[in-house]
Amino acid sequence: MRYFADILPGEIFILGPREITEEDSLRFCQEFDRLPIHLDPAHARQSIYGELIASGLHTLSLTASIVVDGFLKHTSMTGASGMEQVRWHRPVTLPNQLSVKVTVLSTSPPKPGKAFGVISCKLETTDCNAHLVMSATVNYLLGAGE
């Protein structure tokens, strides 16, 4: 278990890959993002993308899952206080594999009376061709430790 004091600015974690299939994408989009470019192959072929693409929300969700499984579940993370600068740089074609590079940008020690500090991390999600598909900055709350 890693606590706030164990995480240092400049640390980098490479996580994944995690597969995303057309079936996964369709299932997600049928429930959460019913745009035709995600669900209708004929419509998608006529779009600027030329084929079905994963939802950006699905990409964001998979990114979060990859970060939790590969990094945060091994820490004293108690929550997050915000996500900023979310950008989708290019569409995720299907099938694909996503990986995430987590860079610790900065740390803010616990404030008086608080049992957690804040680590600010840049998330960079890449596809199977190492193309940047999404990025964001997230502030995670980590327990100060014992």
Side-chain angles (χ1 to χ4, degrees):
M1 173 81 60
R2 295 183 74 188
Y3 295 92
F4 170 79
D6 301 324
I7 309 293
L8 301 173
E11 281 192 72
I12 295 174
F13 307 91
I14 306 296
L15 311 171
R18 171 93 43 93
E19 183 177 11
I20 177 173
T21 65
E22 185 173 316
E23 180 180 286
D24 296 331
S25 180
L26 290 171
R27 187 173 37 252
F28 180 93
C29 291
Q30 286 167 350
E31 187 166 354
F32 300 110
D33 191 349
R34 290 178 283 283
L35 290 173
I37 58 171
H38 303 312
L39 292 169
D40 180 351
H43 183 88
R45 278 192 296 279
Q46 299 303 313
S47 75
I48 61 173
Y49 307 108
E51 61 186 312
L52 283 176
I53 59 169
S55 163
L57 297 175
H58 195 187
T59 302
L60 178 61
S61 296
L62 285 170
T63 296
S65 180
I66 292 166
V67 172
V68 167
D69 290 347
F71 172 49
L72 294 174
K73 76 177 184 181
H74 308 290
T75 71
S76 60
M77 190 253 207
T78 62
S81 63
M83 178 178 281
E84 301 173 349
Q85 302 172 347
V86 178
R87 300 285 183 266
W88 289 277
H89 301 275
R90 65 186 311 145
V92 174
T93 57
L94 303 162
N96 218 311
Q97 291 187 343
L98 301 180
S99 297
V100 181
K101 177 182 177 183
V102 178
T103 304
V104 180
L105 299 174
S106 63
T107 61
S108 299
K111 293 181 179 176
K114 300 291 183 183
F116 60 86
V118 179
I119 64 167
S120 179
C121 296
K122 180 166 188 164
L123 311 181
E124 296 171 291
T125 306
T126 55
D127 65 13
C128 63
N129 296 310
H131 295 129
L132 181 65
V133 296
M134 196 203 88
S135 62
T137 302
V138 184
N139 295 322
Y140 297 112
L141 311 177
L142 268 67
E146 302 166 7

